[in-house]
Amino acid sequence: MNKLTLLLFVAISSEPSLAKEDKESYETCILEHVSLAENGTAANLMTNACHRLYIDNFMLSDKDQAYFHCLLAYLPQTKHLRTAMQVKSTCNNRHRSLFN
């Protein structure tokens, strides 16, 4: 076996690292954040944030975690689509920007 084949075998056969589904935390996230939503878009964005943080969190970077926590912190208070989209954009700029 050559080195490249061996490396590929090891990478494929390794268990996923740090990916852990936490259904209880996901449900808590929904109850604490999404239940407060007055805007459908904000509710969808927060549901996705809870899902990414607690269910589909494989390879989630620190920047992505901070972005999703930002959404959860500021979206529950939004009442209008335009405001929800501004919060989303601001969280994205603050936490996912290449210049941060």
Side-chain angles (χ1 to χ4, degrees), residues 25-51 54 68 71-73 75-78:
S25 292
Y26 168 77
E27 291 170 346
T28 300
C29 182
I30 295 294
L31 292 172
E32 289 180 353
H33 301 286
V34 181
S35 66
L36 302 174
E38 293 186 34
N39 176 282
T41 300
N44 287 337
L45 289 167
M46 288 185 291
T47 299
N48 181 60
C50 291
H51 182 77
Y54 301 107
F68 291 125
L71 293 180
L72 293 172
L75 281 173
Q77 296 85 13
T78 62

Side-chain angles (χ1 to χ4, degrees), residues 47-79:
T47 299
N48 181 60
C50 291
H51 182 77
R52 289 301 314 276
L53 287 168
Y54 301 107
I55 302 296
D56 184 20
N57 56 13
F58 180 71
M59 306 264 309
L60 194 63
S61 71
D62 291 341
K63 285 185 174 193
D64 285 338
Q65 287 181 31
Y67 165 73
F68 291 125
H69 282 292
C70 181
L71 293 180
L72 293 172
Y74 296 103
L75 281 173
Q77 296 85 13
T78 62
K79 295 180 182 171

Side-chain angles (χ1 to χ4, degrees), residues 3-36:
K3 288 181 183 181
L4 180 58
T5 305
L6 182 60
L7 285 174
L8 286 173
F9 176 75
V10 170
I12 291 171
S13 64
S14 301
E15 291 183 30
S17 61
L18 302 176
K20 183 180 178 203
E21 185 175 304
D22 185 352
K23 190 171 182 175
E24 186 174 339
S25 292
Y26 168 77
E27 291 170 346
T28 300
C29 182
I30 295 294
L31 292 172
E32 289 180 353
H33 301 286
V34 181
S35 66
L36 302 174

